[in-house]
């Protein structure tokens, strides 16, 4: 999905095991974390992992998200970590 409303609509009609998202939405650098709460409610506990282009190492993981990364290797590791833990 390209927008938070589109993702919410899809989640309202479907079930997700894991959600991968970015934080930036066009000109809004924090839209993904702002839209996290409604997605979490619709996702029924599916872990949300953020993949971002620039990661501030001092910024915390957005509340309600499983993890956040800017590294493709770590992203793969986080997906498998969530699966192994049975998160979601």
């Amino acid at each position: 999905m390209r927008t938070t409303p589109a993702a919410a609509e899809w989640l309202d009609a479907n079930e997700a095991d894991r959600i991968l998202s970015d934080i930036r939405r066009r000109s809004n650098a924090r839209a993904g974390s702002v839209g996290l709460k409604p997605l979490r409610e619709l996702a029924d506990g599916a872990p949300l992992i953020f993949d971002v282009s620039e990661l501030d190492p001092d910024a915390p993981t957005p509340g309600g998200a499983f993890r956040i990364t800017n590294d493709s290797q770590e992203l793969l590791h986080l997906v498998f970590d969530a699966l192994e833990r049975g998160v979601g």
Side-chain angles (χ1 to χ4, degrees), residues 66-78:
F66 179 66
R67 288 303 235 321
I68 186 170
T69 186
N70 66 335
D71 179 270
S72 59
Q73 295 279 340
E74 184 180 16
L75 177 63
L76 185 59
H77 171 76
L78 291 173

Side-chain angles (χ1 to χ4, degrees), residues 23-87:
I23 288 183
R24 179 177 295 280
R25 301 285 191 280
R26 297 185 191 230
S27 63
N28 186 344
R30 305 295 304 161
S33 59
V34 171
L36 180 60
K37 185 177 180 184
L39 292 182
R40 294 289 305 147
E41 291 170 359
L42 290 168
D44 196 29
L48 190 137
I49 300 168
F50 280 115
D51 180 26
V52 298
S53 59
E54 294 180 29
L55 181 65
D56 177 354
D58 297 324
T61 298
F66 179 66
R67 288 303 235 321
I68 186 170
T69 186
N70 66 335
D71 179 270
S72 59
Q73 295 279 340
E74 184 180 16
L75 177 63
L76 185 59
H77 171 76
L78 291 173
V79 169
F80 284 118
D81 187 24
L83 289 168
E84 288 175 358
R85 291 178 189 219
V87 175

Side-chain angles (χ1 to χ4, degrees), residues 4-17:
T4 300
E9 183 179 332
W10 188 90
L11 284 169
D12 194 34
N14 299 278
E15 200 170 305
D17 294 324

